Amino acid sequence: MNREKIDMRIRPLLAGAAFSLLLVSGGMAPAFAETPADTLVQAWAIDDTITLDPAESFELTPAEFIGNAYDMLVRLDVADTTKVKGGVAESWTVSDDGLTYTFKLKPGIKFASGNPITAEDVAWSFERVVKLDKSPAFILTQFGLTGDNVAEKAKAVDEGTFVFTVDKPYAPSFVLNCLTATVGAVLDKKLVMEHAESTTPNDEYKYDTDFGYAWMKTHYAGSGPFTIRDWRANEIVVLERNDNYYGEKAALARVIYRHVKESATQRLMLEAGDVDVARNLEPGDLEAVSGKADFTTVSAPKGTVYYISLNQKNETLAKPEVRKALKYLVDYDAIGATLIKGIGEIRQTYQAKGVLGALDASPYTFDVAKAKELLEKAGLKDGFSVTFDVRNTQPVTGIAESFQQTAGQAGVKVEIIPGDGKQTLTKYRARNHDMYIGQWGMDYWDPNSNAEAFTSNPDNGDDASVKTLAWRNAWDIPELTEQAKAALLERDSDKRAEMYKKLQQEALDTSPFVMIFQQIEVAGVRGKVKGYTLGPSFDSNPLAPVSKGE
């Protein structure tokens, strides 16, 4: 996108000081008395935003944009996360054999464009995801959908009825929770196809259209309470109220996200009145904000875990003793007391608390002697050298530096390679790393989301179609993969929970994942902001109820 072009598009939105505020990104901005009364301005590190297309986006921060700008058939009920509630669907039924899901759409609803939302739009949105086959497509294709059968398995039987047929009698809660993921967003078929480009079919892509793929990277075609008006990579995202939204209209005219990485800068901008909300506050800045009378802090445990991963293509890291040794070289207590104080809770299993079958176990402590003993068994008495890809934001940088220091005590020489979100993710997704520190947010509120990511790898080949976190780290685990599949078909909740606990225990013992902590998302908020809350997932941070009072 051209900067000048976007500046001209945004200019009518704001005037004077507020417009000047928009153009300052990353560093300190001049102090202004107020942000616009009808606009919420947030400072947040948004450099992991790669695309705005729900069929492709698989990063954390854009999930919030998509979650507020698009609607799905069903949504997670944040008041009771054991349930889902209607999105564009008014009601739904499941057949006795567990294979057919029939959704009745709410009547008379529209996209932001003014086009009517029909079951055909829902069916086409499913078809588009499956045929484009980008990273999050597996959330739908795992139900047996392919490019050849999706038109039959996900179809409109009339304008207001959508029928989805799955290949196995899964636990219904699993199916419905999957449909709450951002990849399940319902797109405006008419609008998107007006911008579709013709393609030449080939062995890898056999369709004659790109389904609007090029256009959707930077544009919007949804029906949520907000529209996505503009995105300038690593600088700004602008959401605008959708007056065609079928539900309660957003209280604010727009929400602006400014890309600001540093916690201290965010805090100072919040205190100066340049922003209304600061989203990446580190413990010290969080404490400073919470002690001021004109500010509040908001927090919520997230279905997001932070971990260090070890690429099993590296022969040294593939040694079982090395994997376990590195789990003893994390100073969990120090990290918990300083780097993540107030923003996270030490957690050594990959399943977030509050999810069915979450295992509470913390067998590892910082133990250099134990780590040295394991390294010697692996034939590495003198240690080894390894590179470590790290996104240059906190607290991951601090955790990486802490690990570099503690690992060094056992002779493990860690070279930190810093990069922005795009750089580190791209390298990680290509399996070109040695070690990587990342965060993983649940795609949907069901234990399979994390179990599949960490303990399933159906095809370890470089050209695999399903690329889980286990795949990214070349962890070839056919037995665990089958266990993860079996858990999907267990309809008894207690039995299903035990199956997931067993998977977590195996990961604790043998996996190439060094689990660090579960995130507590926090935000510093100016006192005039009302109704600002955070949900359990990034796509369930609602903006529509937010207002600004006197």
Side-chain angles (χ1 to χ4, degrees), residues 85-277:
K85 61 183 181 178
V88 300
E90 184 173 56
S91 62
W92 54 92
T93 57
V94 184
S95 62
D96 291 341
D97 63 5
L99 298 178
T100 304
Y101 292 72
T102 302
F103 297 87
K104 293 291 185 179
L105 272 56
K106 294 172 179 173
I109 57 178
K110 298 178 180 180
F111 287 104
S113 68
N115 292 330
I117 300 173
T118 69
E120 175 60 27
D121 293 294
V122 179
W124 180 82
S125 297
F126 274 59
E127 178 185 357
R128 181 177 183 271
V129 167
V130 171
K131 290 183 175 179
L132 288 177
D133 197 26
K134 301 303 177 180
S135 294
F138 76 90
I139 296 174
L140 298 183
T141 59
Q142 66 186 336
F143 297 116
L145 300 184
T146 67
D148 293 331
N149 71 18
V150 63
E152 179 60 30
K153 299 289 187 182
K155 64 183 180 182
V157 296
D158 59 44
E159 189 173 272
T161 307
F162 171 72
V163 176
F164 179 37
T165 304
V166 298
D167 58 339
K168 296 176 184 177
Y170 301 101
S173 59
F174 165 61
V175 177
L176 293 170
N177 275 315
C178 283
L179 298 184
T180 70
T182 56
V183 74
V186 178
L187 273 61
D188 185 336
K189 177 183 178 180
K190 183 176 184 291
L191 177 62
V192 176
M193 289 306 289
E194 285 173 357
H195 297 89
E197 297 179 3
S198 298
T199 58
T200 302
N202 55 52
D203 290 342
E204 293 185 0
Y205 186 80
K206 57 185 180 181
Y207 312 108
D208 60 4
T209 176
D210 77 340
F211 294 97
Y213 172 67
W215 185 77
M216 279 296 297
K217 278 185 175 291
T218 54
H219 291 84
Y220 166 74
S223 62
F226 286 89
T227 68
I228 303 176
R229 179 184 172 100
D230 284 292
W231 166 45
R232 190 162 69 224
N234 292 0
E235 292 187 44
I236 194 168
V237 170
V238 180
L239 305 185
E240 195 168 71
R241 181 171 55 219
N242 172 17
D243 288 327
N244 278 330
Y245 182 55
Y246 60 82
E248 186 175 350
K249 303 296 187 291
L252 295 169
R254 67 191 60 85
V255 177
I256 296 172
Y257 295 87
R258 298 178 57 192
H259 175 56
V260 184
K261 298 184 76 166
E262 297 80 11
S263 170
T265 304
Q266 288 194 12
R267 176 176 62 82
L268 291 173
M269 292 170 71
L270 183 70
E271 293 173 346
D274 297 338
V275 299
D276 301 301
V277 183

Side-chain angles (χ1 to χ4, degrees), residues 261-264 280-287 341 343 394-395:
K261 298 184 76 166
E262 297 80 11
S263 170
N280 297 99
L281 295 180
E282 297 170 22
D285 293 309
L286 178 65
E287 187 174 353
K341 183 180 180 182
I343 63 172
Q394 294 293 358

Side-chain angles (χ1 to χ4, degrees), residues 318-387:
K319 295 177 182 289
E321 298 89 354
V322 172
R323 294 199 298 259
K324 183 158 284 192
L326 295 180
K327 294 174 184 180
Y328 282 108
L329 289 176
V330 175
D331 193 339
Y332 302 95
D333 290 342
I335 290 171
T338 56
L339 297 174
I340 63 167
K341 183 180 180 182
I343 63 172
E345 180 180 354
I346 292 296
R347 187 159 182 81
Q348 294 183 8
T349 56
Y350 63 70
Q351 206 68 270
K353 281 187 175 180
V355 179
L356 178 71
L359 178 67
D360 289 320
S362 300
Y364 299 104
T365 57
F366 178 44
D367 190 334
V368 176
K370 181 69 173 177
K372 284 184 174 181
E373 177 185 328
L374 287 163
L375 290 175
E376 186 170 358
K377 287 183 180 178
L380 297 164
K381 181 179 180 180
D382 297 324
F384 61 94
S385 297
V386 67
T387 61

